[in-house]
Structure formats: structure tokens, C-alpha cells
Amino acid sequence: MTELLPGIFEIELTSDQGVTREIHIFLIQGKPGERSLMIDTGYRKQNCLKKMEEILEKLGISFDRLDVFLTHKHHDHTGLAAVYESRGARLFMNPEENRHPYDCLYYNHERGKDSGNSQYEVLRSVGVTPEGTPEVWEMFMEIRRRVESNRGWEYEVPEFHSLPVTGGQLFSYGDYCFEAVPLRGHTYGQMGLLDRKKKLLFSGDQIIDGIVPIVGTTYEGDHLLEAYFRSLDQLMHQYGDCLLIPAHGDPIRDVRRVAERIVFSYLDKADMIKRILDHSGRKMTVREVACTAYGMRGIPEDTDEFVKLKMVMSKTFSCLEYLLDEDFVIRTERNGTYYWQSAMI
Ligand SMILES: [Zn+2]
């Protein structure tokens, strides 16, 4: 644990699996008798929980005096949310993070929603079907069985209840007064925390130095990549003089350099995807385009490759929808599967 700024503690948690293997959790200590704030929870791992318990005790923060602000609903940020809730902590999250019952990337549990059928529909829409791609389909079904029988899956997000967060909502702890700011793109409802006076922005996974954050969705109409570009533009122009504190990697001072690199990378990828469709001259599914764009085998060989396939399909979908909005590609639908083709005649 290090004291990043007066009263703001940074804790690094690690996982031996997954794409991001470290995450920074931030604790802002309340004044005596007041509540304290934790930003994100970390992985659903025993070692992470133990470390956080020790640190909370050391700082004299009890769970019933703890608020947890969840920037977005990914496993590394919400893995322990259900545990903290059961201990009496109060959770806050933008309800838009729950707008889809099934996420191709992460496995969300959603009470009252039929995530089972949604999963079939989502997989079919990206071109993963029991008839066409039985091996890949079976990999998804195996994960589903593991989760349903409580055997665990690294990317599982156990169900929790949270209080709704909306843009502009205030969160005051210790000497800090934060305002919730929407950071759409990495996910649909991601939120950051901004202290305007102190020029400090906890930015979740919106911008990370040295990494291109995934902009992943498999739902039509999310227009996530377009929203991401708008958000990065806003970061550069409105918060360019702020210190950005991401959940992964080092704090960012030169927002413009990092944001421009990420935008360039996505435009480059979108251009490559456009050229794949231009040259193929046929209709392709998201899965086919993703495998071609990222040089992947059709059938993943191991868990790492399977996880990568899930990620690149989500990323590719976002790029394809962006190209569709810009009239570079055409989308058609047959039997629940989307087919994409070049708009060049
Ligand atoms: Zn993350």
C-alpha cells in the first residue's frame, strides 16, 4: 500500500490468470466518524480479499462504514463486490452497466433476466452457432456449465446489488469532493470520479498508458467506438490539465499523448477490417472477420486463446458498427446471425 496523495491510498492486487493481471484499488479515508470510499474491488480471489481486509483494518475502516464505487462491471473491478456487500458495505454503480443480461466478454449473473437465451442470441449474432462452429460453441457452453454448477470461471461477476450512480452525483470523503463523470467506451456505463478543485480524475479503464483498452460490445446499437472517441476527445479538452489515475498502469499527466495513440490504434484497426471486407468480396460474420483481423485460428487451442477470441470478437464488433455508421460496410441478418460486407461496389 502506498499513499498516492494525502489521504488516498493505492493498493495493487494481482491475479495469475487473465489479460490484466494487476489492478490498483484506491481507498480514500473519511474523517473520523465519517464513511470511507473504495474505488473498485479487484479480483474474486482469496489472496485479494485477505490483503484488502488487512489494509482496511490497518486504516481503521469497517465494512459498515465503507462505500464502494464501481467504475464498471468487469471481473477485475467487481469480482469482490458481492463479498463486500455481504459484509455490509454500500455499493455504487451506474445501472447502465446492467443493461445487457449477457456480456460476451465477462459472465454476468443477473437475477430475473434470462441470461441463458440472451447468451444463445448473442453468440449466434456474432457467428458462433452449434451447427456452424460446434467446437467454439461447446467452449462457451462449458463455461456456462461451470458457472451454473458453481465451479468458477475467472471472468465471472457474481451478482450484487448497487445503488445507482448518475453523472454529476457527488461523493465526498475526507478532503476530497468527487463528481461522477460518464466515461463511455470501454463499457457502456463506465463512470469516473473527478475532483475539479484538485484536478484529479479516477478514470477506470478508459485510458491506460501502453495499452489499448478494449471497446467491446456485441450488441447492435451501442455505438461504443464512436462514444469512446467522443469521450477521449472530452478527456483531452476538458480534463487535459488533470492528473488521470487509471485502474491499471501509472497515473497519466499527458492525456493527449495517450489518448491520441489509442484513437490512432482503433482507426488503424477499423481500416484494416474495412480492407479485409473489401478484399474478401463476400459476407462475413464477426467471428470470421475477427479471426482474420487478429490472425487467429478458427478454433482456440487453449483457454488463453479462447479468452482472446471473446475479446477480439467484441472489439471487432465495435469496429464493424463504427464502419457501418460511416457507411463503409453493409450489414444483413439471416437466422439471427449478422453478416458484414464491403459497401464498395
Ligand atoms: Zn480493468
Side-chain angles (χ1 to χ4, degrees):
M1 175 174 65
T2 53
E3 192 165 2
L4 188 68
L5 290 162
I8 299 183
F9 299 90
E10 178 185 296
I11 301 106
E12 183 170 290
L13 297 179
T14 53
S15 167
D16 51 359
Q17 290 162 294
V19 181
T20 50
R21 300 194 173 191
E22 52 81 28
I23 184 167
H24 296 132
I25 305 303
F26 301 97
L27 272 173
I28 295 127
Q29 213 171 7
K31 289 178 179 154
E34 291 180 357
R35 300 181 73 85
S36 297
L37 179 73
M38 183 192 288
I39 302 176
D40 291 327
T41 73
Y43 309 93
R44 188 192 181 201
K45 298 253 172 211
Q46 208 53 48
N47 65 321
C48 295
L49 177 61
K50 201 165 165 274
K51 188 167 179 177
M52 292 310 297
E53 282 172 340
E54 284 167 9
I55 286 167
L56 288 168
E57 200 185 319
K58 204 166 159 187
L59 294 175
I61 301 170
S62 59
F63 280 105
D64 63 341
R65 307 289 292 156
L66 179 68
D67 289 343
V68 183
F69 183 91
L70 304 165
T71 57
H72 63 290
K73 199 177 180 183
H74 279 171
H75 77 296
D76 47 341
H77 299 258
T78 54
L80 288 171
V83 177
Y84 291 163
E85 185 192 9
S86 72
R87 306 262 177 106
R90 208 161 60 166
L91 311 180
F92 290 90
M93 190 179 74
N94 181 356
E96 283 182 321
E97 284 297 88
N98 286 324
R99 66 200 291 269
H100 299 309
Y102 175 75
D103 185 324
C104 192
L105 269 181
Y106 297 91
Y107 205 111
N108 294 335
H109 289 254
E110 282 264 22
R111 190 185 306 170
K113 286 190 185 171
D114 189 358
S115 57
N117 279 337
S118 299
Q119 184 185 22
Y120 298 152
E121 281 166 24
V122 168
L123 292 178
R124 188 165 282 280
S125 76
V126 296
V128 176
T129 62
E131 322 83 72
T133 56
E135 296 91 346
V136 185
W137 177 268
E138 179 50 29
M139 288 178 186
F140 278 95
M141 291 308 114
E142 171 56 20
I143 300 301
R144 184 183 168 133
R145 287 192 292 270
R146 269 171 67 172
V147 171
E148 283 175 355
S149 60
N150 276 321
R151 282 180 286 143
W153 160 243
E154 175 69 15
Y155 296 89
E156 186 184 343
V157 178
E159 192 188 6
F160 56 84
H161 298 91
S162 53
L163 296 165
V165 175
T166 48
Q169 195 170 329
L170 297 178
F171 292 84
S172 294
Y173 302 86
D175 291 328
Y176 296 87
C177 181
F178 298 105
E179 175 186 328
V181 288
L183 297 172
R184 183 166 296 176
H186 177 61
T187 65
Y188 193 85
Q190 181 174 239
M191 286 272 187
L193 283 177
L194 169 74
D195 188 315
R196 280 190 195 272
K197 264 198 189 149
K198 297 195 166 62
K199 296 190 181 302
L200 203 62
L201 173 61
F202 287 96
S203 49
D205 284 1
Q206 194 70 342
I207 180 168
I208 304 170
D209 202 359
I211 288 180
V212 177
I214 184 167
V215 174
T217 181
T218 41
Y219 285 88
E220 63 161 321
D222 274 359
H223 306 285
L224 219 49
L225 190 55
E226 192 196 328
Y228 187 49
F229 288 159
R230 264 203 311 272
S231 169
L232 291 186
D233 199 61
Q234 195 184 24
L235 282 182
M236 285 189 271
H237 291 102
Q238 288 183 22
Y239 310 128
D241 58 345
C242 288
L243 176 68
L244 263 61
I245 307 176
H248 309 280
D250 295 328
I252 298 167
R253 278 260 173 232
D254 44 353
V255 181
R256 177 171 290 276
R257 176 186 59 85
V258 181
E260 282 179 346
R261 178 187 55 79
I262 293 171
V263 171
F264 181 80
S265 167
Y266 265 105
L267 289 176
D268 195 42
K269 191 55 86 179
D271 183 55
M272 181 205 238
I273 287 170
K274 179 186 170 294
R275 279 183 285 121
I276 287 170
L277 288 171
D278 289 347
H279 289 144
S280 87
R282 64 184 179 93
K283 295 178 177 182
M284 296 172 80
T285 66
V286 173
R287 188 194 62 80
E288 288 174 319
V289 175
C291 286
T292 310
Y294 289 88
M296 290 189 69
R297 275 181 279 258
I299 302 167
E301 271 207 335
D302 52 31
T303 307
D304 282 354
E305 262 188 40
F306 173 67
V307 170
K308 191 179 170 200
L309 177 66
K310 283 158 68 78
M311 288 183 55
V312 300
M313 283 197 302
S314 299
K315 257 180 148 170
T316 301
F317 188 97
S318 301
C319 288
L320 282 167
E321 194 172 53
Y322 181 75
L323 290 169
L324 178 72
D325 291 340
E326 300 288 325
D327 293 329
F328 286 117
V329 301
I330 297 167
R331 181 175 68 193
T332 48
E333 186 260 349
R334 186 161 42 89
N335 297 333
T337 300
Y338 287 121
Y339 293 89
W340 307 80
Q341 69 189 106
S342 169
M344 282 202 327
I345 302 162

